[in-house]
Amino acid sequence: MASHRKSRPSATRVAGIRTPALATAALTSVALLSQTANAAPPEDGKPSLEEVEKKVDALYRQAESATEKYNAAKEKTGKQRKQVDTLLDDVAERTDRLNKAREELGSFAAAQYRTGASAPDTATFLLADSPQDYFDQTQLMSRLTSREKDAVDDYTTQQSAAMAKRQEAAKSLQTLTETQDDLKTAKSTVQTKLTSARELLSQLTAQEKARLAEIEQKQRAAAARKAAELAKQQAAAAKQEASSSSTSTSSGSSSSGSSYGTKAAKAIAFARAQIGKPYVWGATGPGSYDCSGLSQAAWKAAGVSLPRTTYDQVNAGTTVSLTDAQPGDLVFFYDDVSHVGIYIGNGMMIHAPKPGAYVREESIYYGGESIIHSVVRPA
C-alpha cells in the first residue's frame, strides 16, 4: 500500500466520464420528490419531506467524506506511531551506550586521581625505588592518557548521537499528536453528521417514510434502465474491438488481459461473498466495511495492494472511460472522490453504500449519472 497521502483530486473529469453540473445524489431525489409531491403542506416550523430528503442526503455525503479523512488520518497515525516507537527504542539504546561511555570515562578519572593526576617527571624519577619503577610508571601514564582520549571521544560521539535522536523523536511525537488531533476531528465530524441524519429521519411520519420508499424504488428502476443502456454500449464496443483486432491480436496483450481478468474475478468473488454485511464507517472487514475498505479487501484477495482511502485508490491504476469499464474496475463517485464501488459488468457494481445499509449489488447510476467521477483499473 502507498505510504503517503496524495493531493486531493480536482473536480476535473477524465476523458469519457461526463462532467456533472451538480454532483449530488440529493438533487436527483429532490427532482423525483417534486414530481410525486402531492401531500398537504407541512406544519409550521416542520421541514417538508423534500427538505428532509435533501438534508439527509447531504449529511450522509458529508459523513462519507469525513470517513475517508478519518481513514487517512488513522493510517497515517499508525505509521507515525511505529516510527516513534522505533525512534524511542533507538534513543534508549543510544542512552545506554552514553551511560557506558560515561562510566568508562569516570573510571579513567578515578585512575588519574589514584596515580597523582599528572605525568611522571624528574621528581617522580628521584622518588622511584629504581629506574625500572620510573619506566613502568611512565608507560602506565602514557597508556592511560591515550585510552582516556579515546574514552572522551567516544563519550562525545555518543552524547551527540543521543541528543540528535531525542530531538528527532520529539519532532515525530509532535507530528503524531497533530495527526491524532486530525483523527479526533474527523471522527467527531462523522458522528455529528450521522446523528443529525438519524434525528431528521426519526421525525418522519409513517406516511412520509412510505413515500420515501416509493421514491427510492423509482430511483432504482431508473438506475437499472441506465445500467442496461450502458451494458448495450459496452457490448457493442467490445464486439467492434474484437472485430478490429481479430487479425492483429498479439500474444502479449492477450496474456495481459487474461491476467487482469483472473485477478478481477477473484476480487469480485470476494466482494460478492461480503454482500449482506453492514456498512460501518472506518471498517475494513471481515464483519463490516466502508466503501474503500471493501474495495481494498477485495483486491487484496486478488493479490493486489490498494491504498486505504478513495483519495489514493483513484490514483492507484489506469483511468479508463466508462464505456471501456471491465469487471473488477473501480468506479469513483462525487467531485471529492469520497465513494467507490467495484464494477461487475452490465452497469452494475458491488459496494458498501452508506450508514444503515449493507454491502449489495447496485447500478452505478444509483444516484444519477452526474455523480460518477471516474473509472480506474487497479491492476
Side-chain angles (χ1 to χ4, degrees):
M1 181 188 309
S3 60
H4 59 277
R5 285 289 305 276
K6 298 182 182 178
S7 59
R8 294 292 183 270
S10 66
T12 304
R13 296 289 196 244
V14 299
I17 303 299
R18 180 175 180 271
T19 302
L22 290 170
T24 60
L27 295 177
T28 302
S29 301
V30 172
L32 288 169
L33 282 163
S34 298
Q35 297 173 7
T36 58
N38 53 16
E43 300 175 3
D44 292 341
K46 182 179 179 180
S48 66
L49 182 59
E50 290 83 355
E51 291 172 336
V52 171
E53 173 75 2
K54 183 176 180 179
K55 288 181 180 179
V56 168
D57 281 348
L59 287 167
Y60 277 143
R61 283 276 300 105
Q62 292 164 12
E64 192 165 36
S65 181
T67 294
E68 291 305 310
K69 293 178 181 178
Y70 169 86
N71 291 338
K74 184 178 180 181
E75 182 180 40
K76 187 176 180 181
T77 297
K79 292 177 180 178
Q80 289 177 344
R81 185 175 289 113
K82 289 180 181 178
Q83 182 182 20
V84 168
D85 288 343
T86 299
L87 285 170
L88 292 178
D89 288 342
D90 198 351
V91 167
E93 182 180 348
R94 292 184 181 276
T95 300
D96 186 54
R97 294 178 188 174
L98 180 62
N99 290 335
K100 290 180 179 178
R102 185 185 291 114
E103 291 173 1
E104 185 176 2
L105 189 59
S107 68
F108 284 117
Q112 282 189 340
Y113 177 78
R114 289 194 300 270
T115 57
S118 61
D121 53 16
T122 304
T124 306
F125 173 76
L126 293 174
L127 291 173
D129 293 335
S130 68
Q132 184 63 45
D133 288 341
Y134 174 79
F135 178 78
D136 291 341
Q137 290 182 34
T138 301
Q139 294 299 311
L140 174 63
M141 291 305 295
S142 176
R143 289 196 299 273
L144 283 175
T145 301
S146 176
R147 291 177 62 188
E148 178 186 17
K149 182 179 182 302
D150 290 341
V152 171
D153 289 344
D154 183 51
Y155 175 77
T156 302
T157 299
Q158 296 299 338
Q159 185 181 44
S160 177
M163 184 176 297
K165 281 299 177 182
R166 288 194 188 102
Q167 292 174 345
E168 186 178 356
K171 186 179 296 184
S172 293
L173 280 170
Q174 177 62 32
T175 302
L176 175 60
T177 300
E178 293 172 355
T179 306
Q180 287 175 326
D181 290 340
D182 293 340
L183 185 67
K184 291 178 182 178
T185 299
K187 182 177 181 178
S188 176
T189 300
V190 174
Q191 293 173 330
T192 299
K193 300 300 181 183
L194 294 181
T195 298
S196 298
R198 284 192 289 266
E199 288 177 351
L200 283 171
L201 290 173
S202 68
Q203 297 171 6
L204 298 179
T205 65
Q207 183 180 7
E208 289 171 331
K209 290 179 181 179
R211 285 181 58 204
L212 282 180
E214 181 182 351
I215 292 170
E216 290 177 359
Q217 186 175 3
K218 291 183 178 180
Q219 288 177 321
R220 286 194 292 271
R225 287 193 295 271
K226 288 290 297 182
E229 291 175 10
L230 176 61
K232 290 181 180 179
Q233 293 173 9
Q234 290 177 332
K239 184 177 180 180
Q240 182 177 2
E241 182 180 359
S243 176
S244 62
S245 62
S246 60
T247 59
S248 60
T249 301
S250 66
S251 58
S253 61
S254 177
S255 175
S256 175
S258 176
S259 175
Y260 179 76
T262 299
K263 293 177 181 178
K266 291 180 180 179
I268 293 174
F270 179 92
R272 185 164 279 121
Q274 313 313 308
I275 290 177
K277 293 183 178 180
Y279 174 104
V280 174
W281 65 274
T284 57
S288 58
Y289 298 88
D290 62 18
C291 67
S292 57
L294 177 63
S295 56
Q296 183 188 48
W299 271 103
K300 182 179 180 181
V304 177
S305 295
L306 292 181
R308 175 64 181 94
T309 69
T310 55
Y311 308 131
D312 291 329
Q313 288 181 9
V314 74
N315 294 316
T318 303
T319 301
V320 299
S321 68
L322 187 57
T323 304
D324 292 332
Q326 295 180 15
D329 291 350
L330 301 179
V331 185
F332 294 91
F333 299 87
Y334 306 107
D335 284 339
D336 62 355
V337 198
S338 57
H339 188 69
V340 63
I342 304 168
Y343 192 64
I344 59 175
N346 296 323
M348 302 294 288
M349 67 179 174
I350 297 175
H351 70 149
K354 61 183 179 180
Y358 298 84
V359 176
R360 65 194 183 200
E361 289 188 14
E362 193 163 25
S363 167
I364 61 173
Y365 298 105
Y366 74 103
E369 185 176 0
S370 65
I371 69 169
I372 298 175
H373 179 276
S374 55
V375 180
V376 172
R377 189 158 298 152

